[in-house]
Amino acid sequence: MIKKNNSKNENKHFASQSELKIIKSEHMGMCFGVRDAIKLVNRVANERPLTVLGELVHNSTVLNTLSNRGVKFANKPEDVMTETVMITAHGTSNQTRRSVMQQGLQMQDATCPLVHYAHKQIHKLIENGCHPVIIGRNGHVEVLGLTDDLVEYDVVLNEQDIDKINFHKRFGVIAQTTQPISHVQALVKYLKSRFPKSKVRFVDTVCQPTKQRQRAAEELAMKSDVVLVIGGLNSNNSKELAKTCAKFCANVYHIQSPDDIQITWLDTAKKLGITAGTSTPNEHY
Ligand code: SF4
């Protein structure tokens, strides 16, 4: 992964790193939801022309490979030019599904079962009279899929967002699947303290692969001098991994590929920790 070259400077750096120990996170890299989605896109693309609705994964290498083999990408059902369209692992709203059907397109659905679970839970909470609150990143494709069918809702990412929401007798809270669970729990606590007279019901929809990777990233960062987080710069879970590692290690770098590594980062490091987001292919680490 770290490439040596013949420049004197580079060799000088590597000479001082002869003792560098590389530690890989216990849980890292591609999750089953993304792996299954990529498998499905490859299988369908072998049979017929296919358009993927939105970004299949937040990873440019994977997207370029699919694009090179003829897979098309579109942001809206109206822009789809093939007969078959695929919903990504991030899921989508019923509105979008209806629009796909109305256009007579054949739909392949790669929505991760754990995203389906989040959809079911938010609708159950609403049926039970709760005002829906989603802890997540406003505008993220998974969050849009969750909120597009809702009439009234709040999306919050921090305490300042919670300060802006109005009183409701009952709140029903879920989270974007890739949010760190400790952050989610802290915000649920804050919501309860802000509205002591309200009933707050929280359903934990953070997915297990995210929890495992977050927990393992904490342990990794505690024992590393430098941590590299490998993943798309627009990947939410990779960003969250970098944020978590930064709490325990002063030298954390979020990179997309080995070319992003600056060898000076490792000048005095003895232990280099490596982790990767859920959309990062195994070949990258
Ligand atoms: S990150 Fe979690 S919810 Fe998202 S695709 Fe992977 S397993 Fe599913």
Side-chain angles (χ1 to χ4, degrees):
M1 160 152 183
I2 299 168
K3 288 186 283 188
K4 292 188 184 186
N5 69 22
N6 291 329
S7 101
K8 278 184 189 161
N9 277 347
E10 299 267 330
N11 285 338
K12 199 167 71 189
H13 287 301
F14 271 98
S16 64
Q17 290 152 17
S18 54
E19 299 301 318
L20 184 67
K21 186 176 172 195
I22 296 180
I23 314 166
K24 283 191 176 182
S25 183
E26 192 189 345
H27 295 281
M28 63 193 278
M30 204 168 265
C31 62
F32 75 91
V34 171
R35 208 178 309 119
D36 289 354
I38 293 173
K39 255 191 226 160
L40 182 64
V41 78
N42 278 315
R43 184 164 61 72
V44 176
N46 277 342
E47 294 163 3
R48 50 192 184 268
L50 173 69
T51 302
V52 173
L53 210 49
E55 267 195 19
L56 180 70
V57 289
H58 294 135
N59 185 288
S60 52
T61 315
V62 175
L63 296 178
N64 288 341
T65 308
L66 293 172
S67 194
N68 289 342
R69 62 164 303 187
V71 174
K72 308 273 181 244
F73 293 88
N75 286 325
K76 294 178 285 185
E78 308 87 87
D79 299 335
V80 175
M81 305 303 283
T82 56
E83 283 181 6
T84 308
V85 66
M86 197 180 104
I87 308 295
T88 69
H90 296 112
T92 194
S93 62
N94 289 335
Q95 266 184 40
T96 302
R97 285 172 198 277
R98 269 196 300 275
S99 168
V100 164
M101 302 313 271
Q102 277 160 6
Q103 285 187 59
L105 300 169
Q106 286 178 4
M107 188 170 66
Q108 294 285 332
D109 193 351
T111 305
C112 175
L114 303 181
V115 174
H116 271 309
Y117 176 74
H119 278 255
K120 269 194 202 136
Q121 295 313 312
I122 197 75
H123 288 288
K124 255 195 200 169
L125 288 166
I126 294 167
E127 278 161 29
N128 287 325
C130 296
H131 171 77
V133 175
I134 291 135
I135 297 175
R137 209 166 277 279
N138 215 344
H140 184 279
V141 61
E142 182 191 320
V143 175
L144 290 174
L146 285 162
T147 56
D148 272 358
D149 293 325
L150 309 184
V151 180
E152 212 192 323
Y153 60 88
D154 282 293
V155 176
V156 297
L157 193 58
N158 49 43
E159 292 184 357
Q160 291 73 37
D161 292 339
I162 293 179
D163 287 340
K164 289 183 208 143
I165 67 182
N166 294 326
F167 171 83
H168 292 271
K169 274 191 192 151
R170 293 159 75 91
F171 287 99
V173 187
I174 65 157
Q176 183 181 350
T177 54
T178 50
Q179 286 294 316
I181 187 64
S182 53
H183 175 67
V184 169
Q185 284 165 338
L187 288 186
V188 172
K189 199 169 162 199
Y190 186 75
L191 180 70
K192 284 181 179 168
S193 69
R194 166 129 206 268
F195 297 105
K197 294 198 173 133
S198 304
K199 200 160 192 183
V200 177
R201 282 186 61 191
F202 166 59
V203 181
D204 179 3
T205 54
V206 175
C207 75
Q208 192 59 17
T210 292
K211 285 178 182 155
Q212 287 173 329
R213 280 153 186 71
Q214 282 282 338
R215 224 176 5 243
E218 284 181 14
E219 285 164 17
L220 178 81
M222 279 181 214
K223 56 190 176 198
S224 302
D225 302 314
V226 175
V227 176
L228 298 181
V229 178
I230 309 169
L233 294 182
N234 57 347
S235 151
N236 186 60
N237 75 84
S238 302
K239 280 189 216 165
E240 294 296 344
L241 280 177
K243 263 165 65 182
T244 297
C245 290
K247 288 183 195 157
F248 302 96
C249 175
N251 306 300
V252 177
Y253 302 98
H254 182 172
I255 59 167
Q256 294 204 101
S257 77
D259 294 338
D260 298 335
I261 298 172
Q262 291 177 28
I263 216 66
T264 50
W265 295 344
L266 307 176
D267 264 351
T268 55
K270 292 236 178 325
K271 289 178 189 164
L272 169 65
I274 295 181
T275 185
T278 51
S279 50
T280 307
N282 296 356
E283 311 87 80
H284 285 208
Y285 50 86

